[in-house]
Amino acid sequence: MSDGSISRLDKLRALQEWLDWQLRQTRGRIRELEAQERQQEEQRARERSERGKPRVEERRRGERRPRIPDWGIDDIGVGTPRSEVHRGDCFAAGKRLRAISREQALAALVDGAPPCGVCRPDTALGAP
């Protein structure tokens, strides 16, 4: 070993120091990402509480669910002026269902709004 070459043991110790440094870097990055996730979850919780709408699992005992309308109208597509008439309990209505009265549902059907093919409000309303 007097020829000035680095011993195998010295090489392994250098490698170990580098791997220790890499592990510290990785653990630090994990802590940063975990902190970011906690902040994002806290932000989402604040936004939910600001909206005032508790999630289904957050509802308290005795709290009533919103009333299901008897009839509703739903915009069928993006950029189309057409609307589709539904019964209020129709599973195919989607999230955009607006509650309407029986008379408004009949008027919409007479004006040419198509009835939902699933819940068939025209049959239930007795519309022509």
Side-chain angles (χ1 to χ4, degrees):
M1 295 291 162
S2 62
D3 61 355
S5 64
I6 300 174
S7 73
R8 184 162 189 190
L9 181 60
D10 290 337
K11 288 178 183 179
L12 288 173
R13 285 185 177 144
L15 177 61
Q16 180 183 11
E17 287 180 33
W18 182 80
L19 290 172
D20 287 340
W21 176 83
Q22 282 287 355
L23 186 56
R24 285 191 305 274
Q25 295 295 316
T26 302
R27 286 179 175 156
R29 185 66 181 138
I30 288 171
R31 282 190 298 274
E32 290 172 10
L33 291 174
E34 288 173 342
Q36 286 177 1
E37 284 181 5
R38 280 191 301 274
Q39 289 173 349
Q40 289 171 351
E41 181 55 39
E42 290 169 2
Q43 177 65 27
R44 285 190 292 268
R46 279 193 298 274
E47 289 171 359
R48 280 193 306 266
S49 67
E50 287 172 4
R51 280 188 256 132
K53 293 181 181 178
R55 294 177 123 188
V56 172
E57 62 270 10
E58 294 173 350
R59 282 198 179 116
R60 286 175 261 142
R61 256 193 197 157
E63 229 178 74
R64 290 189 165 187
R65 292 178 182 247
R67 186 176 97 57
I68 296 174
D70 293 330
W71 309 101
I73 195 158
D74 187 14
D75 295 327
I76 312 180
V78 179
T80 61
R82 293 183 45 197
S83 297
E84 190 173 64
V85 179
H86 293 269
R87 289 175 40 172
D89 60 351
C90 179
F91 71 88
K95 295 180 181 180
R96 299 178 309 264
L97 186 70
R98 284 185 292 123
I100 57 174
S101 68
R102 183 182 201 296
E103 293 76 27
Q104 290 171 318
L106 278 168
L109 289 169
V110 169
D111 289 344
C116 171
V118 175
C119 65
R120 302 301 303 175
D122 52 339
T123 305
L125 287 166

